[in-house]
């Protein structure tokens, strides 16, 4: 993938999340595995700007939301596309792409559609009729660091334009700051500027899994790698609440939910007392439920292991008009939470071909994972299974929607508050 040329001190655009790193060679070829989707080495330069977050204190803000009955994207009502098109704002400040130790443009990550650069910001001052325009007000103070997301190839331009519209729409919805990576607008319509959040749920799970492997014993072998049932359950409540908001309030399907596309933003505390909140990032596969116009080719860059089995049908994958649905988002979130329990980013055990075959039978994922190396962390009838079992069913055989799922976990929390 070639990197687009960069002009210093011009306005590139960005995204805060680390993008997918999967390539699509044919409809039946699986995209790059999650292990390659985002390398922690890409964010090592930010270690000094964002403190290391202690694993025992992450994810401590409960979020409660409602949802409505959800319908697949394909059943959008006729006439919905007559809604006024969301206006995408221009980035209100200037940006400058930073350089790495080799003198090259500093990159957070690369993906199927984009390259995300690391950039600093400058207050935008322009001459108008012989006078200087004032800088932004204190309430709109520019961030010190941003992520600049640019299309990696020509056919990605429409994808990023669509993503910018989705992000603009999301930030027009109440409480969006709790659930979506901050978006500052675009430069030249195709370059997105977002807040730089270099720590993802994938990073957190990997850190916790490394610690868990060093402390493995008969006492801890059944615990989620996050450290305890309570910590895992709290994360589940946060993420399911966020998904309920996304589907009901924002009427948006994310389309590519996985640990690398969920970022952890610090919300309060310092030193060893830091609390973080998960926010969604990378909406390049997203679709709005309240509009008929769909962005094509969004399934060509999903990660197979996290994709709902109904979307892995060869006929669906070959159809450029196929899109994700609310039901497939629920499945992807369930797999994300399953990985947060096992620490296994590849989800399924075995060879590449074996994992591909098991992914097409995703409704059996709990059984497959239970027979794998970290299967003891998903005990039969245990907490993880009880939370996830209805979210991984076949789409037409009882899979819950986000609101129903949230109701299940809230009921569980109320039923056993001492344990959870």
């Amino acid at each position: 993938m070639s990197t687009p040329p960069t002009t210093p001190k011009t306005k590139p655009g960005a995204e805060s999340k680390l993008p997918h790193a999967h390539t699509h060679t044919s409809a039946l070829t699986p995209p790059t595995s999650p292990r390659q989707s985002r390398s922690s080495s890409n964010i090592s330069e930010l270690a000094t700007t964002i403190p290391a977050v202690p694993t025992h204190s992450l994810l401590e803000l409960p979020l409660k939301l409602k949802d409505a009955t959800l319908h697949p994207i394909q059943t959008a009502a006729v006439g919905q596309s007559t809604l006024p098109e969301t206006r995408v704002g221009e980035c209100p400040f200037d940006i400058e792409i930073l350089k790495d130790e080799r003198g090259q443009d500093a990159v957070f990550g690369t993906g199927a559609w984009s390259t995300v650069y690391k950039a600093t910001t400058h207050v935008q001052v322009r001459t108008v009729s012989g006078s200087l325009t004032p800088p932004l007000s204190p309430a709109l103070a520019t961030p010190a660091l941003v992520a600049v997301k640019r299309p990696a190839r020509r056919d990605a331009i429409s994808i990023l334009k669509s993503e910018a519209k989705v992000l603009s729409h999301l930030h027009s919805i109440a409480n969006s700051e709790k659930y979506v990576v901050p978006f500052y607008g675009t430069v030249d319509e195709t370059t997105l500027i977002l807040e730089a959040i270099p720590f993802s749920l994938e990073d957190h799970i990997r850190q916790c899994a490394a610690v868990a492997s060093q402390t493995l014993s008969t006492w801890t072998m059944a615990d989620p790698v996050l450290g305890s049932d309570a910590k895992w359950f709290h994360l589940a409540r946060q993420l399911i609440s966020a998904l309920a908001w996304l589907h009901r309030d924002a009427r948006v399907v994310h389309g590519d939910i996985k640990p690398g596309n969920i970022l952890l933003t610090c919300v309060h505390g310092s030193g060893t007392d830091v609390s973080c909140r998960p926010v969604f990032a990378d909406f390049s596969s997203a679709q709005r439920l309240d509009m008929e116009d769909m962005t094509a080719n969004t399934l060509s860059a999903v990660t197979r292991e996290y994709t709902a089995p109904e979307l892995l049908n060869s006929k669906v994958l070959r159809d450029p008009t196929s899109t994700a649905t609310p039901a497939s988002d629920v499945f992807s979130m369930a797999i994300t939470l399953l990985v947060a329990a096992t620490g296994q980013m590849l989800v399924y055990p075995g060879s590449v071909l074996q994992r591909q075959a098991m992914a097409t039978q995703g409704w059996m994922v709990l059984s497959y994972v239970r027979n794998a190396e970290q299967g003891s962390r998903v005990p039969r009838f245990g907490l993880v299974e009880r939370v996830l079992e209805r979210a991984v069913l076949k789409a037409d055989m009882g899979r819950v929607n986000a609101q129903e799922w949230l109701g299940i976990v809230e009921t569980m929390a109320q039923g056993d508050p001492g344990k959870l």
Side-chain angles (χ1 to χ4, degrees):
M1 182 181 302
S2 62
T3 302
T6 304
T7 304
K9 298 196 176 182
T10 56
K11 309 174 195 174
E15 194 198 288
S16 130
K17 69 120 280 196
L18 295 145
H20 352 239
H22 17 257
T23 57
H24 184 71
T25 56
S26 73
L28 295 178
T29 302
T32 305
S33 72
R35 180 167 294 175
Q36 295 174 309
S37 67
R38 182 172 181 276
S39 170
S40 295
S41 63
N42 289 334
I43 63 169
S44 59
E45 295 179 47
L46 277 181
T48 57
T49 60
I50 296 189
V53 182
T55 57
H56 69 276
S57 59
L58 283 171
L59 310 167
E60 296 176 355
L61 293 184
L63 309 174
K64 297 184 179 180
L65 289 169
K66 302 176 184 176
D67 193 9
T69 302
L70 304 173
H71 304 281
I73 289 178
Q74 291 87 341
T75 62
V78 174
Q80 287 178 332
S81 60
T82 60
L83 291 171
E85 186 174 357
T86 302
R87 180 180 177 276
V88 179
E90 215 178 294
C91 180
F93 47 79
D94 294 320
I95 67 103
E96 178 181 357
I97 302 295
L98 298 175
K99 300 295 182 181
D100 59 21
E101 66 278 0
R102 297 170 300 173
Q104 304 295 316
D105 291 339
V107 174
F108 280 134
T110 59
W113 302 117
S114 61
T115 302
V116 180
Y117 299 91
K118 177 181 177 181
T120 188
T121 64
H122 304 285
V123 175
Q124 198 174 74
V125 179
R126 292 176 177 169
T127 301
V128 179
S129 300
S131 62
L132 294 178
T133 58
L136 293 174
S137 67
L140 297 174
T142 62
L145 196 67
V146 292
V148 177
K149 185 173 186 178
R150 288 175 164 172
R153 58 190 202 226
R154 185 175 298 276
D155 60 346
I157 292 176
S158 62
I159 298 291
L160 265 66
K161 282 185 175 181
S162 174
E163 181 175 4
K165 292 178 181 178
V166 170
L167 285 165
S168 296
H169 164 71
L170 287 170
H171 284 286
S172 71
I173 308 298
N175 297 317
S176 64
E177 71 280 357
K178 296 180 180 179
Y179 310 110
V180 180
V181 60
F183 174 55
Y184 299 114
T186 63
V187 175
D188 301 327
E189 296 185 348
T190 60
T191 298
L192 283 59
I193 311 296
L194 298 102
E195 183 171 319
I197 304 177
F199 194 69
S200 71
L201 179 59
E202 179 176 334
D203 296 318
H204 179 48
I205 293 172
R206 289 187 185 279
Q207 287 184 4
C208 291
V211 173
S213 67
Q214 296 172 358
T215 59
L216 183 64
S217 70
T218 55
W219 294 98
T220 62
M221 61 186 296
D223 293 335
V225 295
L226 295 190
S228 68
D229 280 349
K231 290 178 180 178
W232 180 88
F233 185 75
H234 183 70
L235 172 65
R237 289 177 73 184
Q238 286 184 295
L239 291 179
I240 296 168
S241 295
L243 187 62
W245 174 87
L246 188 68
H247 287 174
R248 189 208 69 168
D249 290 13
R251 303 298 293 162
V252 167
V253 169
H254 185 282
D256 192 20
I257 293 174
K258 59 184 179 181
N261 285 343
I262 296 171
L263 306 180
L264 302 180
T265 178
C266 297
V267 290
H268 64 74
S270 60
T272 59
D273 182 23
V274 178
S275 179
C276 288
R277 178 175 59 233
V279 294
F280 289 119
D282 192 356
F283 287 85
S284 56
S285 296
Q287 305 284 353
R288 285 182 61 175
L289 290 166
D290 57 1
M291 299 190 73
E292 287 183 325
D293 297 334
M294 298 298 158
T295 303
N297 298 319
T298 55
L299 291 186
S300 63
V302 296
T303 306
R304 183 178 292 268
E305 289 89 341
Y306 294 86
T307 302
E310 65 267 19
L311 299 183
L312 295 178
N313 178 286
S314 60
K315 182 178 179 180
V316 173
L317 289 174
R318 288 192 181 102
D319 184 356
T321 65
S322 297
T323 61
T325 66
S328 66
D329 265 3
V330 167
F331 182 90
S332 298
M333 183 63 80
I335 301 301
T336 295
L337 288 169
L338 182 60
V339 168
T342 67
Q344 300 297 300
M345 291 297 166
L346 294 180
V347 185
Y348 300 97
S351 67
V352 173
L353 291 178
Q354 288 173 324
R355 295 200 308 272
Q356 290 177 15
M358 285 185 276
T360 62
Q361 297 179 320
W363 58 88
M364 297 179 63
V365 65
L366 294 176
S367 296
Y368 288 141
V369 169
R370 192 176 287 117
N371 293 322
E373 181 181 352
Q374 298 296 322
S376 62
R377 300 190 187 279
V378 190
R380 192 174 297 278
F381 309 119
L383 175 66
V384 174
E385 179 180 283
R386 286 186 287 134
V387 171
L388 303 183
E389 58 184 351
R390 292 187 60 191
V392 296
L393 294 174
K394 288 185 178 181
D396 57 351
M397 295 188 68
R399 186 185 303 166
V400 293
N401 64 38
Q403 176 60 30
E404 293 170 336
W405 197 12
L406 180 59
I408 290 172
V409 297
E410 293 297 348
T411 299
M412 290 175 64
Q414 295 170 9
D416 197 353
K419 182 177 180 180
L420 301 178

